[in-house]
Amino acid sequence: LPRHFWHANQGEAILLEIRKFIAAGIFFNAQAAEKVGLGLTDMQMLHMLQLHGPTTPGRLAAWTGLSSGGITVALDRLEKAGYIRREPNPTDRRSLLAILVPVRMHKLGALYEGIERETRRLIGTLPPRDLEAVIRFFETLCNAREGASALQP
């Protein structure tokens, strides 16, 4: 087969595997959220705060595509459940920071220990050259996602 045909098929195969991975991740997160009495959106908000650290509701809205009202409601639920606290933003008196409560997050972390351990094991089977390519690919994918509001449904 011509190389461009082979490359196109590889691209389609990668897209298919990404879709399968995302779908499985969504269902895993939904099950984890259900176990602790959270909704999927609330669980994803906690993930965003874990990944990015304390942040403003406006930044959360930009990262998630949720409305400011949707962010406020989700933060209200998470604060009431004890997963976050809100504090004044030291760099902007007009805004607040959403901050994770470590004790509550430690309990959530236990839900992910098994899958993270298995993922680390699988990563350890890859040669360094492949690891570098995977890292570059996901960095490129994330950077493109962050800069492209057109990717919103």
Side-chain angles (χ1 to χ4, degrees), residues 46-111:
L46 292 175
H47 287 306
M48 295 304 283
L49 288 167
Q50 282 180 309
L51 293 168
H52 298 286
T55 193
T56 65
R59 293 284 297 155
L60 283 169
W63 292 330
T64 63
L66 297 173
S67 68
S68 61
I71 293 292
T72 299
V73 170
L75 292 177
D76 288 346
R77 286 191 304 259
L78 290 170
E79 189 171 39
K80 184 177 178 184
Y83 287 100
I84 68 154
R85 66 181 189 278
R86 295 180 210 184
E87 293 183 2
N89 184 345
T91 62
D92 182 353
R93 295 182 313 178
R94 299 166 296 164
S95 70
L96 297 173
L97 293 176
I99 301 170
L100 294 172
V101 174
V103 173
R104 293 290 283 172
M105 294 308 296
H106 182 70
K107 292 179 182 180
L108 271 185
L111 297 172

Side-chain angles (χ1 to χ4, degrees), residues 6-28:
W6 176 72
H7 187 70
N9 282 345
Q10 278 187 315
E12 291 303 314
I14 290 169
L15 284 173
L16 179 64
E17 294 305 317
I18 289 172
R19 289 182 62 199
K20 290 183 340 189
F21 181 79
I22 290 170
I26 289 169
F27 283 115
F28 183 90

